Amino acid sequence: MYVTTFLRYVRLGGRCVCARMVQRRNLSGADAINALRPFYFAVHPDFFGRHPREREVNDNSLKRLNGYLENLQKPGARSPKPANLTFYVRDTKEKADSSGSLLASEFRSVTFTLQSKDVLSTVLDVLRSCSLSVEHMQDVLKDETEKSSTQQPGTAFYRPIKWDKTYYTFTGFRDPEQELEQARRVEPTLSLWLRNNESEATKKQNASLPRREELKRLKRELIQKLGLLDIRWQRKWGVAHKCSQLQSLGRLSTQSPEALHILRGHVIVFTDQSGMNASGHVMLGTMDVHHQWTKLFERLPSYRSLFQQSDWLKERISHLLGGIQVIHIERMGPALPLEELYSTLNTFHKRLFPQRLSLHPRSMQGLTMSLENDRSTPCLHEMGHFIIPTMCDTLQLQNFLQSQAQEARRRMRRKDKLEAEEEDIISSCLQDLSLHSLSKEPSVLSSQMIPCCRRLMEERSPQMQGLHLYISHFYSVMQDGDLCIPWDWKG
């Protein structure tokens, strides 16, 4: 018998609450949640506010981990594919500053591969890979051993751990709920934070001006020299880091100009891995050396062929589903490799094709959908696009699309209206506040950005004049002087 429970992944500051289901094979869902508490406390993105790159990596890896655990709970489902995850793990032994506030010490990077076939083994692998204690699981492990020798097959067994506050006192672990509540309480008001940080931001921004000009020059020259459509970055790296990446590409273009000729007409994206992403852009891994980049360029013809096959699959799926367009939503964090997109499209098409759904050829025209491997039920995003599980039941899918088509069109009209309003208010905010630039994190929606800008214009703080303002979910002064503030800042 399967016992399921929700593994909650809570994000602060108006962020989403994402629920994933974990299944019991030899460990109950409630036990899995409690067993992983030290891990969540060590890697939770909300504790990496001043380290946006590490925060994004942990955010994305947590979603993949939750999807892996969810896949284990599906009755009759195949074992999930091995998942390579990277986490930045905090040292959870706390230090106190002179004011009594708790300060986390440095973090370390951990990379490991999940390939366990049950929840218990997966939980143990995660904890041990991050060098976290499993002592708090000894009772669970003992009970699992006794259960396996005495329990008859098919007999229900459920033993959730009841955590008392004294558990954290005697084990040395921090109470995650307590610390998250502390984080909420210490969040400053915008005016106070600006008073304390404006001078530092101005100093860093002034120091970065030569590097910013150098970045513009390098980007312009490389685009022209290599015949590129654009050069982009998957992460919000610092200006010096971006310059270094462009200089490295520039040296390669001088040393091996014939190898880079094939890049003409492409968009280059600097990210964590080399390859081609789901949008057909060439990805250059920032940790790779020139030899690895050159090998990638040699494989570009095969990538182009795979991209064409992916487009063909999108067209076939669209034809089968009444003209709906298959899209890919670009997000911050690790990019979706083209190979993974093709595999997802191919799996979905093979599942869909034999069913021959009775949808009118143009009934879904103008609507959009994206495919996700780590979801079990279809849903309609608030921005109007459908999010469809790759292994979705086809009859359920047809009924869902037909019943939600009108609502999807309404939400898309609302999205278009909000995006136009957002563009106007960003322009007004830039001018009224005399900002040097105003941008936002992709996860900040138009419906959040618009009231944020309105409130900023009402606040009219002179301390932001001439600065680069970045709307996100946390406060921070970036290394080049960009001011990062949460969209739902307190007045």
Side-chain angles (χ1 to χ4, degrees), residues 310-322:
S310 298
D311 277 350
W312 180 85
L313 284 171
K314 289 180 180 179
E315 291 175 5
R316 294 301 304 159
I317 292 170
S318 176
H319 177 74
L320 294 169
L321 292 180

Side-chain angles (χ1 to χ4, degrees), residues 218-240:
L218 288 170
K219 181 178 178 180
R220 181 176 62 250
E221 291 180 357
L222 276 173
I223 288 176
Q224 182 177 1
K225 181 178 180 179
L226 301 178
L228 302 173
L229 296 180
D230 196 10
I231 297 177
R232 303 171 186 171
W233 286 266
Q234 185 70 22
R235 302 191 181 285
K236 193 172 174 58
W237 278 301
V239 176

Side-chain angles (χ1 to χ4, degrees), residues 340-357:
E340 187 174 333
L341 172 68
Y342 176 80
S343 176
T344 299
L345 291 169
N346 192 40
T347 300
F348 185 71
H349 180 258
K350 286 181 177 179
R351 186 177 181 84
L352 189 65
F353 182 74
Q355 304 301 318
R356 298 294 182 179
L357 301 184

Side-chain angles (χ1 to χ4, degrees), residues 37-308:
R37 280 194 177 193
F39 166 73
Y40 292 131
F41 175 67
V43 304
H44 201 286
D46 287 323
F47 297 124
F48 287 79
R50 289 187 175 272
H51 303 280
R53 179 181 181 277
E54 289 76 10
R55 174 177 170 270
E56 290 160 10
V57 170
N58 283 9
D59 195 2
N60 186 271
S61 293
L62 274 174
K63 292 174 183 176
R64 295 183 64 194
L65 171 61
N66 291 346
Y68 189 95
L69 290 169
E70 178 183 353
N71 205 34
L72 292 177
Q73 65 90 31
K74 298 176 183 176
R78 296 179 180 177
S79 298
K81 296 180 180 179
N84 190 43
L85 303 180
T86 296
F87 285 100
Y88 288 93
V89 182
R90 299 188 307 136
D91 182 352
T92 54
K93 294 179 180 179
E94 304 293 334
K95 300 178 181 179
D97 63 10
S98 57
S99 63
S101 302
L102 292 176
L103 300 173
S105 58
E106 283 300 318
F107 46 79
R108 52 194 165 85
S109 174
V110 175
T111 299
F112 56 91
T113 301
L114 289 181
Q115 48 192 0
S116 305
K117 307 304 181 186
D118 58 81
V119 175
L120 175 59
S121 299
T122 301
V123 169
L124 289 172
D125 287 347
V126 169
L127 292 172
R128 287 167 177 163
S129 296
C130 295
S131 300
L132 296 173
S133 174
V134 295
E135 291 183 5
H136 60 293
M137 296 183 63
Q138 295 308 310
D139 289 343
V140 179
L141 294 171
K142 179 181 178 181
D143 286 335
E144 289 294 335
T145 302
E146 294 175 353
K147 173 179 67 65
S148 63
S149 61
T150 61
Q151 186 181 356
Q152 295 298 319
T155 304
F157 177 80
Y158 182 62
R159 180 187 176 276
I161 298 176
K162 301 297 183 182
W163 293 91
D164 189 84
K165 294 299 180 181
T166 55
Y167 163 79
Y168 302 104
T169 302
F170 290 104
T171 62
F173 290 118
R174 294 283 301 173
D175 184 345
E177 285 83 2
Q178 178 183 350
E179 181 141 345
L180 290 174
E181 182 59 33
Q182 286 179 344
R184 290 190 183 95
R185 288 201 303 268
V186 301
E187 184 178 352
T189 62
L190 177 63
S191 56
L192 175 61
W193 189 84
L194 286 174
R195 283 199 300 271
N196 293 335
N197 293 275
E198 182 269 336
S199 60
E200 178 189 0
T202 301
K203 181 179 178 180
K204 288 184 174 181
Q205 178 176 305
N206 291 337
S208 73
L209 290 178
R211 293 193 298 271
R212 292 179 188 269
E213 292 301 318
E214 175 71 359
L215 179 63
K216 292 178 183 178
R217 182 188 67 79
L218 288 170
K219 181 178 178 180
R220 181 176 62 250
E221 291 180 357
L222 276 173
I223 288 176
Q224 182 177 1
K225 181 178 180 179
L226 301 178
L228 302 173
L229 296 180
D230 196 10
I231 297 177
R232 303 171 186 171
W233 286 266
Q234 185 70 22
R235 302 191 181 285
K236 193 172 174 58
W237 278 301
V239 176
H241 196 173
K242 291 181 179 180
C243 284
S244 176
Q245 293 160 1
L246 293 183
Q247 289 164 354
S248 183
L249 182 60
R251 285 193 297 271
L252 180 58
S253 69
T254 301
Q255 297 164 1
S256 306
E258 69 287 347
L260 277 71
H261 179 72
I262 199 170
L263 289 175
R264 185 169 297 275
H266 279 283
V267 173
I268 283 182
V269 182
F270 287 99
T271 183
D272 296 323
Q273 57 184 319
S274 294
M276 182 173 282
N277 68 12
S279 300
H281 304 330
V282 178
M283 300 188 298
L284 298 183
T286 58
M287 300 301 291
D288 292 342
V289 296
H290 285 176
H291 174 71
Q292 292 166 307
W293 285 0
T294 303
K295 288 293 184 183
L296 164 65
F297 301 152
E298 294 173 356
R299 296 196 302 271
L300 276 187
S302 61
Y303 273 118
R304 289 170 176 167
S305 175
L306 189 62
F307 186 70
Q308 290 174 350

